[in-house]
Amino acid sequence: MSVIFELSKANRRCAVFPDRGVHQYKLSDGHVRKNLELPEVAEVDLVRHYMGLSRKAFGVDNGFYPLGSCTMKYNPKINEEVAALEGFNEIHPLQPASTVKGALKALKQLQDALCDLTGMDAMTLKPAAGAHGEFTGMQIIRKYFVSNGMPERNEVIIPDSAHGTNPASAAMNGLKVVAVKSNENGGVDLESLQAAVGEHTAALMLTNPNTLGLFDENIQEITRIVHEAGGLCYYDGANLNAVMGLVRPGDIGFDVIHLNLHKTFATPHGGGGPGSGPVGCKSFLAKHLPEPVIGENGFENSEDSIGSVRSFYCNFLVCMKALTYIKVMGADGLKLASENAVLNANYLLHKIKDIYDVSYDRVCMHEFVLSLQRLKDETGVSAKDVAKALLDFEIHPPTMYFPLIVHEALMFEPTETESRETLDRCAEVLRHLHGLAYSDPEYFKGVPHSTVVSQCDEVRAARNPVLRYEKDTEASA
Amino acid sequence: MSKYIVNSSEEQQEMLDELGCASFAELFRKAGVLGAPQLSIPEGVTEFEAYRDMAALAAENHVFKHVFRGAGSYKHFIPSAVKNIVSRNEFVTAYTPYQAEVSQGILQGIFEYQSMMCELTGMDVSNASVYDGGTAAAEAVMMCVDRKHHKILLSRGINPEYRKVVHTYHQFSDSIEIEEFGTDFEVDSNTAGVFVQYPDFFGNIPDLVKIKEKAGDAKLVVIANPTALGLLEAPGKLGADIVVGEGQQLGMPMSFGGPYLGFMCAKEKLVRQLPGRIVGQTVDKDGKTCYTLTLQAREQHIRREKASSSICSNEALCAFTAAVYLAAVGPKGLYDVADTSFQLAHYLADRLNEIGLSVVNKGEFFNEFVTECPIDSKELMKHLYEKDILGGLLLSNNRILWCATEVNTKEEIDWLVDVIREVL
Ligand SMILES: Cc1ncc(COP(=O)(O)O)c(C=O)c1O
């Protein structure tokens, strides 16, 4: 398909702007732009171009999307309608507080609901995504120790099963990462943890349920060990969809948490963003939250704040979607969502685990991780091959090769918004592919077979980067 | 049931039975979860009720009819085609395009975005976005510093919101030093980068060529207003090494501050220092042109604690929106938006000058400028609010930062001036 630049013809127009009748001012020549080569297209061609692109995209609305760790649940349409309200869209971030009372009230409602759900005392909605929340949380922890005269507490303990953003967010704040191993149940190894904590420990950064989809049974012991060593406990809330109304991180020893509204709270992921990554904390850390915070009387600043982690306040429209979702779901609905997320994951696992190896054979939470190492050893068919083959059945592949501690990992997260039939069909397809791996491994050489392109040459993309359209070079050179 | 949960209670029970669990409580007990907290969030309501509730909150906000405030968030006209295209659910409900085979639409859209941003800024490479203008500036610091160069000079002409973010981001770095400067600066052998805004927070158009000369070997980082680049020379042509900024102006409403779009573009040699996702063009197994996420060896999921940034999710749909907007307006439309904003701002400046709000800017400016106010500017603002006018931003007791864009009119400006006169 052509890139939009190739559709361009001189003097074609889509949007036309009114002449305001003022023309007398001149910019000096040195400042004036000489040339700007943006596409020139008519509206109908613009629309058809993007309709063409939309046919080559796949969202939750297109089909089953069990992408582990991403909580690709259905995104209710009412949320989009709410976010499009003029009273939310057409307000300037620097309007006087007295003219944005509704916005402040709404943000406060969201903060309060998230505090209640997580067992935290204070919340900021500022961060724009999960990793941004982690970054903010690490700043809060660092600020806490620095301002309490303990700058030497500069190590963050992170399990080897953690998402890559965890160590990266810690390191961005000058914190040293100490990795701890997982035990034979997929949880934190208590002995390794005991050995890792000490007078340099700033925090433990933990995902629970962890990235294997398992709830750590020793969780209270884990947070106790860290606290006893003088460290704080950080909760990566990527997996909160498993425990809403069932476990509150604040009740089991966590001091700081980030959430992903674009996962747990049903706001759409937009092909990569925008998201929202609120950060909650216990009251003794609240004064370090990024400024401004929304208190009883609107925006407030604290002298002890870490500062500002982004312009203005938050991804406001994303927050409005999440708030709408929370209102519809309520305490009862959120709990039901988590229950069904866990049920659906266990149901799917139950339907395939007689033939696929599960990384840790336990009752899982909202997701599970298969290891296809044995399949690969016996047939040559890899986790990636099976994942890509799913595309021919209009099932979005699970997360591949994560967490790093599982060989040939495939991580499935079906979410609560899928039917039993969808899970049954996915299980059937997976069983079918498993059979094929043994009967006809050659089948996987060309997967996926039905998509518009297949097996993009990633090595070539990285070795010989073509990162923008250039007029003179052939597009497919 | 509903609450977006598909299976009926009976089906749920059957599934539980199949798993050998009598109830959810048993399932969770087996998974290691005991007990459940009492929440104070109210019970759920119907969509009808939730909508009414949210609409009531929206109605408690005042949408000003006349807006003369910018300062980092701008009211521009958004063509209907743009809003329509970017609301397609194939784009809206997709995750990051990890699976290239079913994500060619999104990948190509981002590739086109990167291409347009390169063209607009005069740079060679662009990433697929970061969170916003402030974080784009903060991330650009990491692109400049190396073992020998760790000092960053930040112009006070940069939006204070962005400067705050830059300071916050790097406050716990052992090596990075950030210094602010007013009108002039001196580089030394430690200087990694010089950051300026173009046009600056007060609307002034800095002389980038001169600044680059002074910056010498230090990298010149330009925080640009992309709308202005419809009229102003591309920073890349004037010596910039890195161009970053806020892309809200390109098709996104003001929406109380977000979601917006941080864009980051650079010279080719800096491509491996760019943070975040990047889309590249390649071929598939049949030699067909296709697109994929590339140069991932820079990113957190591979480098973990050695990555320069932890960014994972970005603002993809906003980047996509910006590309659709730029294609919808085209080069002439972007020029018209920029020129009309420029013309109206200058007309507004002349009219305000006439009635005694003298313009402070010395040199050329784009669509924002600062005036002195002969009366208490808070009083003036209050008066304007009463007339449904969101006046300029108060910088101090007697200074106001004004803005005009193509959504304003000459008649509206004349009327604004009359309204101001009432209280002078
Ligand atoms: C466990 C975990 N932590 C953190 C993140 C980062 O979240 P975001 O992409 O919103 O920055 C992810 C995202 O996939 C995740 O799965």
Side-chain angles (χ1 to χ4, degrees), chain B residues 35-73:
Chain B
Q38 203 56 43
L39 297 184
S40 39
I41 300 175
E43 300 277 291
V45 297
T46 61
E47 286 198 348
F48 173 80
E49 294 161 295
Y51 184 84
R52 206 176 45 186
D53 215 14
M54 294 303 292
L57 288 167
E60 276 189 67
N61 299 324
H62 185 69
V63 174
F64 281 95
K65 204 160 164 194
H66 310 280
V67 178
F68 292 96
R69 188 169 293 185
S73 177

Side-chain angles (χ1 to χ4, degrees), chain B residues 85-144:
Chain B
I85 288 166
V86 303
S87 62
R88 293 286 307 181
N89 288 334
E90 296 87 339
F91 302 135
V92 172
T93 71
Y95 203 78
T96 303
Y98 296 133
Q99 297 292 340
E101 288 88 348
V102 284
S103 310
Q104 286 299 300
I106 288 170
L107 288 162
Q108 182 175 331
I110 298 292
F111 180 81
E112 292 175 356
Y113 160 81
Q114 290 173 186
S115 306
M116 291 182 207
M117 294 314 290
C118 286
E119 174 63 26
L120 199 56
T121 57
M123 292 282 109
D124 305 317
V125 291
S126 161
N127 72 5
S129 77
V130 293
Y131 308 130
D132 73 344
T135 55
E139 296 270 12
V141 168
M142 295 305 293
M143 295 180 66
C144 296

Side-chain angles (χ1 to χ4, degrees), chain A residues 25 28 37 94 116 271 452 475, chain B residues 40-41 69 94 281 288 350 364:
Chain A
Y25 300 97
S28 68
E37 302 220 1
L94 302 174
D116 186 37
V452 287
Chain B
S40 39
I41 300 175
R69 188 169 293 185
Q281 194 183 56
K288 224 160 129 189
D350 278 358
E364 292 184 85

Side-chain angles (χ1 to χ4, degrees), chain A residues 349-393:
Chain A
L349 176 58
H350 174 72
K351 296 271 165 184
I352 55 174
K353 80 174 188 186
D354 57 323
I355 54 170
Y356 283 98
D357 296 334
V358 53
S359 57
Y360 294 87
D361 192 7
R362 282 176 49 191
V363 172
C364 67
M365 293 295 280
H366 65 308
E367 64 190 358
F368 58 85
V369 181
L370 301 180
S371 170
L372 272 62
Q373 187 62 50
R374 187 162 58 97
L375 185 78
K376 190 177 176 196
D377 292 344
E378 293 176 2
T379 67
V381 174
S382 68
K384 183 174 176 184
D385 294 334
V386 172
K388 293 288 180 190
L390 285 170
L391 288 168
D392 289 327
F393 298 88

Side-chain angles (χ1 to χ4, degrees), chain B residues 124-396:
Chain B
D124 305 317
V125 291
S126 161
N127 72 5
S129 77
V130 293
Y131 308 130
D132 73 344
T135 55
E139 296 270 12
V141 168
M142 295 305 293
M143 295 180 66
C144 296
V145 295
D146 58 30
R147 289 238 302 285
K148 292 205 189 99
H149 307 88
H150 39 76
K151 197 156 90 187
I152 296 291
L153 303 179
L154 273 192
S155 157
R156 283 202 196 92
I158 296 170
N159 189 327
E161 289 273 343
Y162 304 165
R163 276 186 281 143
K164 237 193 275 173
V165 178
V166 172
H167 287 296
T168 302
Y169 253 66
H170 303 291
Q171 65 184 321
F172 297 118
S173 157
D174 293 333
S175 53
I176 298 171
E177 271 174 75
I178 293 166
E179 276 176 25
E180 298 201 351
F181 66 91
T183 46
D184 212 0
F185 64 88
E186 294 292 338
V187 294
D188 60 33
S189 59
N190 289 330
T191 311
V194 178
F195 283 53
V196 297
Q197 189 170 313
Y198 175 79
D200 75 11
F201 183 63
F202 311 104
N204 303 309
I205 305 170
D207 186 340
L208 296 181
V209 173
K210 253 203 202 136
I211 293 169
K212 177 64 188 173
E213 262 168 36
K214 267 212 99 175
D217 291 335
K219 294 187 181 71
L220 174 59
V221 181
V222 176
I223 299 169
N225 173 347
T227 305
L229 299 183
L231 177 65
L232 300 186
E233 186 55 283
K237 295 256 159 69
L238 304 170
D241 298 289
I242 297 170
V243 183
V244 299
E246 177 52 66
Q248 173 265 329
Q249 300 88 312
L250 306 177
M252 280 141 266
M254 298 183 292
S255 54
F256 205 48
Y260 287 1
L261 161 67
F263 68 85
M264 297 190 77
C265 303
K267 286 267 159 69
E268 175 120 47
K269 61 175 192 288
L270 292 168
V271 66
R272 280 166 214 279
Q273 274 76 51
L274 260 182
R277 316 249 186 245
I278 300 177
V279 174
Q281 194 183 56
T282 181
V283 293
D284 80 345
K285 68 171 195 279
D286 302 319
K288 224 160 129 189
T289 297
C290 64
Y291 304 88
T292 183
L293 295 172
T294 193
L295 301 178
Q296 300 190 55
R298 306 161 292 112
E299 291 187 63
Q300 45 75 26
H301 61 282
I302 303 204
R303 290 196 65 128
R304 298 179 76 86
E305 65 268 25
K306 295 195 186 68
S308 71
S309 171
S310 68
I311 190 166
C312 181
S313 292
N314 53 26
E315 306 289 301
L317 195 63
C318 301
F320 201 88
T321 303
V324 179
Y325 173 89
L326 286 171
V329 303
K332 295 204 175 61
L334 194 67
Y335 173 84
D336 288 344
V337 170
D339 185 55
T340 305
S341 304
F342 167 81
Q343 298 289 344
L344 289 175
H346 284 72
Y347 180 71
L348 172 61
D350 278 358
R351 294 292 330 267
L352 292 175
N353 235 339
E354 261 170 47
I355 61 167
L357 274 76
S358 51
V359 174
V360 174
N361 301 54
K362 298 266 175 343
E364 292 184 85
F365 61 90
F366 174 55
N367 75 330
E368 291 181 271
F369 59 91
V370 179
T371 61
E372 296 271 2
C373 186
I375 59 165
D376 181 354
S377 50
K378 274 205 200 98
E379 288 305 310
L380 172 61
M381 261 335 122
K382 253 198 227 140
H383 180 64
L384 296 185
Y385 296 152
E386 276 159 25
K387 304 280 177 171
D388 213 354
I389 300 168
L390 184 63
L393 183 73
L394 298 189
L395 299 180
S396 67

